[in-house]
Amino acid sequence: MNDKLYKVLLFIVALIMPIVCGGVVYALVTDAYDAFEHFGFFRFLTSSEWSYTEGAEQYGALPFITGTLMTTLLALVFCIPFSLPVALFVGEYFRDSRIAAVLSTVVDLLAGIPSIIYGLWGFYTLRPIIMALNISPQGSGILTASLVLAIMIIPYASSLSAEFIKMVPNDLKEGAYSLGATRLEVVRNVVFPVAGSGIFSSYVLAIGRALGETMTVTMLIGNTNDMPNSITATGNSMASIIANQFGEADGLRLSSLIAIGLILFLITAIINMVGKIMIKRARIA
Amino acid sequence: MESITPILEFKKTCVSYTKQTMAVKYVSAAIEKNSITAIMGPSGCGKSTLLRAVNLMHNLYSNIRVDGEILLNGENILSMEPIDVRRRVGMVFQRPTPFPTMSIYDNVLAGFALNGIRLSKVEKDATVERCLKSVALWDEVKDVLNKKGTFLSGGQQQRLCIARALAMKPDVLLMDEPTSALDPIATKHIEELLLELQKEVTILIVTHNMGQAMRISSKSMFMYLGELVEYGDTAKMFSEPADERTKAYLTGKMG
Amino acid sequence: METFKLKKRLAKDKLMLWGVCLFATLTAVPLVAILGEVFLRGYDQLSWSFFTEPTPTAYKAMKAIEAGEPIPGGIANGIVGTMLMLGMATIVAVPIGILCGVYLAENSKSRFAQIVSYLTDLLQGTPSVIIGIVIYIWVVVPMKGYSAIAGSVALFVMMLPLIIRSTEETLKILPASLKEAGLALGGNEARVMLRVQLPAAFGGVFTGVLLAISRVIGETAPLMFTALGCSLIRWSIDKPISAVPLLIWEFFNDPNLQDLIWGASLFLLLFILMLNILAKYIKGTLY
């Protein structure tokens, strides 16, 4: 094979990515069009009505956008007190030790468990605990879903944060130690400020993960279509309403679900892009 | 000379990275107050290792052992709290290490911030001005104090790091090849500065530049394979070294 | 005053250390809890027939439960479906993914490669449920029915970015001298890639493929809209087909079949664990 042919072949194969991604956007936009045309793009986003009575169909995405944002933000809040210590443990305190390798493996394994098994565990183990603690009568809901979601995103947040914490130059840390700082003070005044933007971006990417998680949330959020009014309320996220209703939907409802899919796609795409750009910046700095 | 009490004294100091090999072997020496002592030797001879033992940098790494005694004003630092020691013994590293997230102003005061000591605005301003003046950096940076320290040149950064160490009013200042990453002009500035500074602080400087040792130090140590081979007046060591190994090194036959 | 302050600072420092250790260790709790639950509740469901028989109907299961017998049948239909769809997806995704990865590694500065690289990130970050919707629109609607093909296209789309990235990254960390040495011997670029660079990168690429498989094997949502599920053992690619995660979802929703959940989950977990250990082992033998 001569070099020219080889290069052309590679180029042609690489064309698959624009084709696939273009196809994704095209399919979502054309099939979501009906819903946007019928309800109006803005009203679709801000309406909290979801009823499929024939003849008076009303679909709006607001309860599900709210559900997604609530589960994601709560998951982030629950995740930080664990992922940050893991990152410090692996990247600073026990850096390069055997015990840190063990913890990394544990966290890697957490990332490997399929979402449906997290859902099972949440349903059969965590939900009864929530009920026993009288937090919510049915056990399912936004809180339960976010708790499990938090565990699922720990690996994404912690492994990348640890990488940035490890990149803080030893010179700088020794500089601070030589002025009489304790380890805590070095972490707070040198490690966090220097690795901060990288750590922050790893949480942005973890948010990107949590936004689209489907099965776990579907199994735990309680699947109601009303606006959630508290964190213990049941609800639906964008992903879970799709998982629940896509199979049985047609016509305007199908189009509305696809429209929700398009919105979810756009939100995750933007969050991921922001995260990636921040990471690139943090790596160069 | 012997009548002056040593501010710093090594007594059979040993440093080992692994159980079998010692990087520093039974070093004993007394350092006089307000002197500049140069530590010389070929690379790998343990000179940096010895220096880092003085402000307990080795405590940061669990595999390194320090034995013997190191006395600071007669007190054994090996049994003292590292933070206490490090506040009284400043250190300047080979490569300048201004904290990249702090301004020049905050870099000078970093020692206070890190130690949780609160100063009033007046005290802060006075400290920054005093320290930057004593490293002859004040005139150059007094208008850009709020800029990041990393924006300075290498020589300026190193002087900023010296100022940062001086702000804590240390008894002893350790310098680990502070000019090896700098150009000759910046090096000359730093050397002049050190001669000035020895009025306030006792300086222990590791260097592999014999000219530098000769220019600034009053006493010199020569180390080889972890041992302190020779310690004495710099002028005397350079003119008539007592040991064959010192002679070989100084005449360029080694290292 | 000074010593008091120092003591306080040291106490804080200690507290931080213990806090870090405590909270980091707590992270292992869910892993142990999940693995433990699945193992303890699943291991006595595993038997020979569990792997060779298809899912029972709800009626049969109900009868067995009433009679106090264990539920008959197993997850063979799901295992066959998973293998069939994963096999098809892998066969297509590996060569395409590797070639794309080679393109990215070789042309990292070209504008088009940067776009491809960005799109790879985009696709990798896309929630799998959306991949399901899109493949439904692409394949299920025109073919007028759910099928194993649709399912494998969904798996293919999810595997592709993972394989591209691992290939690109492995090729990029090879020393440049390797390629130069090959070219200096008079090989052309294609041949040097095929005979020198790719073989040197084999371990990394292979690990990447294993991890891609382990990542998509548990995917449920996209298969719900594409493969749908089926209670028969099927080998045809144009009909609805089951998969292990789909079965777990079915069992979860069917009160009569809930006894099969944990066996199926255990099988899935063991498979993923094995792939991960294999990947780690291969990586370990390389470096």
Side-chain angles (χ1 to χ4, degrees):
Chain A
M1 205 195 310
N2 70 38
D3 273 358
K4 197 147 203 183
L5 197 65
Y6 163 71
K7 283 191 170 141
V8 171
L9 174 79
L10 285 183
F11 180 78
I12 291 172
V13 175
L15 276 175
I16 194 170
M17 286 314 292
I19 292 172
V20 168
C21 292
V24 167
V25 174
Y26 179 78
L28 290 173
V29 169
T30 47
D31 282 54
Y33 190 76
D34 270 357
F36 287 137
E37 197 192 35
H38 194 272
F39 299 112
F41 181 73
F42 224 66
R43 254 194 54 218
F44 184 77
L45 285 185
T46 52
S47 159
S48 57
E49 197 68 19
W50 187 268
S51 87
Y52 22 90
T53 339
E54 213 150 322
E57 287 177 293
Q58 262 313 323
Y59 300 119
L62 191 61
F64 316 120
I65 296 176
T66 313
T68 297
L69 294 183
M70 281 174 85
T71 42
T72 303
L73 289 181
L74 271 181
L76 189 67
V77 170
F78 294 137
C79 151
I80 289 174
F82 298 94
S83 55
L84 212 50
V86 169
L88 281 174
F89 192 101
V90 173
E92 167 66 29
Y93 279 85
F94 295 91
R95 181 181 179 167
D96 299 330
S97 70
R98 193 167 275 267
I99 179 103
V102 171
L103 187 64
S104 295
T105 310
V106 165
V107 171
D108 281 350
L109 287 176
L110 272 181
I113 297 177
S115 131
I116 192 162
I117 291 180
Y118 274 107
L120 287 177
W121 180 75
F123 191 85
Y124 287 104
T125 306
L126 191 64
R127 203 179 60 107
I129 297 175
I130 299 269
M131 287 196 287
L133 292 174
N134 261 332
I135 294 169
S136 85
Q138 71 283 12
S140 306
I142 287 175
L143 179 72
T144 318
S146 346
L147 282 171
V148 181
L149 212 46
I151 301 171
M152 296 175 74
I153 60 172
I154 287 175
Y156 297 97
S158 66
S159 56
L160 204 55
S161 305
E163 206 183 294
F164 282 105
I165 289 175
K166 264 188 202 173
M167 281 184 343
V168 175
N170 216 20
D171 296 6
L172 278 185
K173 287 188 271 181
E174 285 190 353
Y177 281 121
S178 76
L179 292 170
T182 63
R183 191 156 207 173
L184 167 64
E185 287 153 351
V186 170
V187 166
R188 207 168 49 197
N189 294 293
V190 179
V191 174
F192 278 163
V194 173
S197 56
I199 295 176
F200 187 80
S201 58
S202 60
Y203 281 92
V204 173
L205 286 189
I207 290 177
R209 277 275 142 191
L211 285 171
E213 261 312 324
T214 312
M215 296 319 290
T216 314
V217 176
T218 307
M219 292 160 92
L220 297 172
I221 199 167
N223 300 313
T224 50
N225 302 333
D226 302 321
M227 221 26 207
N229 51 13
S230 76
I231 59 164
T232 54
T234 55
N236 250 326
S237 73
M238 291 194 264
S240 74
I241 183 87
I242 297 172
N244 263 313
Q245 306 205 345
F246 195 84
E248 54 191 63
D250 53 9
L252 197 52
R253 185 158 153 222
L254 186 65
S255 178
S256 298
L257 288 172
I258 294 172
I260 291 176
L262 177 62
I263 298 167
L264 177 60
F265 174 76
L266 291 178
I267 296 176
T268 38
I270 291 169
I271 292 279
N272 282 333
M273 191 174 71
V274 170
K276 289 273 172 184
I277 291 172
M278 286 175 58
I279 282 186
K280 242 176 220 157
R281 289 229 179 114
R283 284 225 167 98
I284 294 165
Chain B
M1 286 295 240
E2 262 72 48
S3 60
I4 304 166
T5 41
I7 184 163
L8 186 70
E9 191 173 5
F10 296 100
K11 277 189 171 171
K12 294 188 179 166
T13 307
C14 303
V15 184
S16 40
Y17 290 90
T18 57
K19 280 201 178 101
Q20 294 84 22
T21 50
M22 270 189 222
V24 171
K25 298 171 192 162
Y26 304 101
V27 168
S28 296
I31 312 291
E32 291 157 19
K33 199 170 160 67
N34 293 6
S35 65
I36 297 181
T37 306
I39 309 178
M40 291 180 291
S43 37
C45 69
K47 53 193 192 297
S48 286
T49 307
L50 179 68
L51 192 76
R52 290 164 63 90
V54 180
N55 71 342
L56 298 176
M57 273 292 144
H58 296 313
N59 284 28
L60 298 177
Y61 307 95
S62 56
N63 54 328
I64 305 177
R65 263 184 68 99
V66 182
D67 293 301
E69 282 178 60
I70 301 173
L71 305 178
L72 180 66
N73 291 324
E75 235 185 310
N76 184 10
I77 63 163
L78 296 179
S79 53
M80 279 163 70
E81 187 50 59
I83 292 165
D84 253 352
V85 176
R86 289 182 197 142
R87 213 155 21 154
R88 289 158 61 182
V89 181
M91 180 146 185
V92 176
F93 298 86
Q94 194 167 354
R95 254 180 299 164
T97 56
F99 300 124
T101 51
M102 298 181 193
S103 63
I104 295 171
Y105 186 88
D106 289 338
N107 256 292
V108 178
L109 298 169
F112 297 100
L114 286 167
N115 282 288
I117 299 169
R118 269 167 233 270
L119 299 178
S120 68
K121 178 81 176 112
V122 182
E123 285 173 305
K124 278 186 186 173
D125 288 346
T127 310
V128 170
E129 188 174 340
R130 172 179 67 81
C131 296
L132 287 178
K133 273 186 175 153
S134 67
V135 297
L137 197 58
W138 177 250
D139 292 331
E140 292 160 55
V141 303
K142 66 177 180 231
D143 299 321
V144 289
L145 287 176
N146 287 319
K147 285 209 178 181
K148 296 260 181 282
T150 38
F151 129 103
L152 298 171
S153 75
Q156 288 174 319
Q157 286 189 13
Q158 195 61 296
R159 276 183 282 161
L160 177 61
C161 290
I162 298 171
R164 185 174 74 186
L166 290 177
M168 303 303 292
K169 296 199 171 160
D171 299 332
V172 177
L173 187 61
L174 308 173
M175 312 193 95
D176 192 356
E177 302 191 23
T179 58
S180 67
L182 304 181
D183 61 69
I185 294 168
T187 301
K188 186 164 166 275
H189 279 302
I190 301 254
E191 285 179 5
E192 285 163 0
L193 172 65
L194 295 186
L195 287 171
E196 203 51 40
L197 283 177
Q198 72 177 309
K199 289 174 204 150
E200 315 172 24
V201 62
T202 309
I203 295 172
L204 208 58
I205 178 170
V206 163
T207 176
H208 56 207
N209 178 337
M210 284 176 250
Q212 182 169 63
M214 208 147 51
R215 286 192 295 274
I216 61 173
S217 70
S218 50
K219 292 264 194 157
S220 284
M221 294 185 182
F222 173 71
M223 290 184 70
Y224 184 62
L225 296 176
E227 281 174 54
L228 178 57
V229 174
E230 201 170 334
Y231 174 43
D233 287 334
T234 303
K236 185 159 177 283
M237 191 188 286
F238 275 86
S239 55
E240 37 190 307
D243 195 282
E244 276 305 307
R245 291 168 290 183
T246 317
K247 194 173 172 186
Y249 179 75
L250 293 177
T251 50
K253 285 179 186 144
M254 177 210 287
Chain C
M1 181 61 199
E2 272 289 282
T3 52
F4 169 72
K5 209 163 183 191
L6 185 62
K7 264 185 190 158
K8 202 167 134 197
R9 288 170 60 209
L10 288 172
K12 268 193 196 165
D13 188 49
K14 265 245 161 66
L15 194 69
M16 177 72 176
L17 173 65
W18 286 109
V20 164
C21 291
L22 177 70
F23 279 87
T25 320
L26 280 179
T27 310
V29 171
L31 181 76
V32 174
I34 293 171
L35 294 184
E37 174 154 14
V38 173
F39 273 90
L40 291 177
R41 292 172 82 157
Y43 83 98
D44 56 356
Q45 286 172 8
L46 297 188
S47 64
W48 183 243
S49 65
F50 189 79
F51 297 104
T52 56
E53 285 175 28
T55 323
T57 59
Y59 177 74
K60 259 192 193 164
M62 204 170 74
K63 279 281 168 216
I65 294 170
E66 278 174 4
E69 291 163 10
I71 296 181
I75 57 166
N77 50 337
I79 296 177
V80 168
T82 291
M83 293 303 153
L84 191 66
M85 287 190 286
L86 255 184
M88 287 196 290
T90 310
I91 286 172
V92 186
V94 166
I96 294 182
I98 290 179
L99 285 177
C100 272
V102 169
Y103 176 80
L104 289 183
E106 293 277 279
N107 302 285
S108 55
K109 283 189 191 75
S110 93
R111 184 106 196 107
F112 180 66
Q114 280 166 1
I115 294 172
V116 171
S117 173
Y118 169 67
L119 292 176
T120 307
D121 283 343
L122 177 78
L123 198 60
Q124 195 177 340
T126 302
S128 62
V129 67
I130 288 168
I131 305 285
I133 296 180
V134 169
I135 307 303
Y136 173 85
I137 297 169
W138 280 0
V139 185
V140 177
V141 174
M143 281 180 67
K144 299 194 170 61
Y146 299 97
S147 63
I149 290 192
S152 58
V153 174
L155 296 181
F156 161 77
V157 171
M158 286 184 285
M159 286 175 78
L160 195 56
L162 300 170
I163 298 178
I164 293 176
R165 275 277 168 260
S166 61
T167 307
E168 182 198 355
E169 270 155 28
T170 319
L171 286 174
K172 274 187 174 164
I173 55 171
L174 290 181
S177 57
L178 202 63
K179 181 179 177 183
E180 283 160 12
L183 290 176
L185 289 173
N188 63 27
E189 287 201 26
R191 199 156 282 160
V192 171
M193 176 55 71
L194 202 63
R195 293 281 164 80
V196 180
Q197 284 165 280
L198 275 178
F202 176 79
V205 175
F206 190 63
T207 311
V209 172
L210 287 181
L211 289 177
I213 292 175
S214 85
R215 206 33 77 77
V216 301
I217 195 174
E219 283 292 352
T220 317
L223 294 183
M224 281 163 37
F225 315 152
T226 53
L228 189 67
C230 169
S231 56
L232 307 172
I233 299 180
R234 260 203 187 134
W235 292 96
S236 47
I237 57 171
D238 56 346
K239 303 241 169 54
I241 200 166
S242 194
V244 179
L246 276 181
L247 283 180
I248 299 177
W249 177 239
E250 267 172 46
F251 301 156
F252 176 74
N253 286 310
D254 189 335
N256 290 318
L257 294 174
Q258 281 185 356
D259 286 357
L260 293 172
I261 289 182
W262 301 102
S265 303
L266 178 56
F267 171 76
L268 192 59
L269 265 187
L270 285 178
F271 203 91
I272 290 170
L273 211 61
M274 198 190 71
L275 285 171
N276 276 292
I277 291 171
L278 196 62
K280 220 165 206 168
Y281 173 75
I282 291 173
K283 223 175 177 180
T285 55
L286 287 173
Y287 306 109

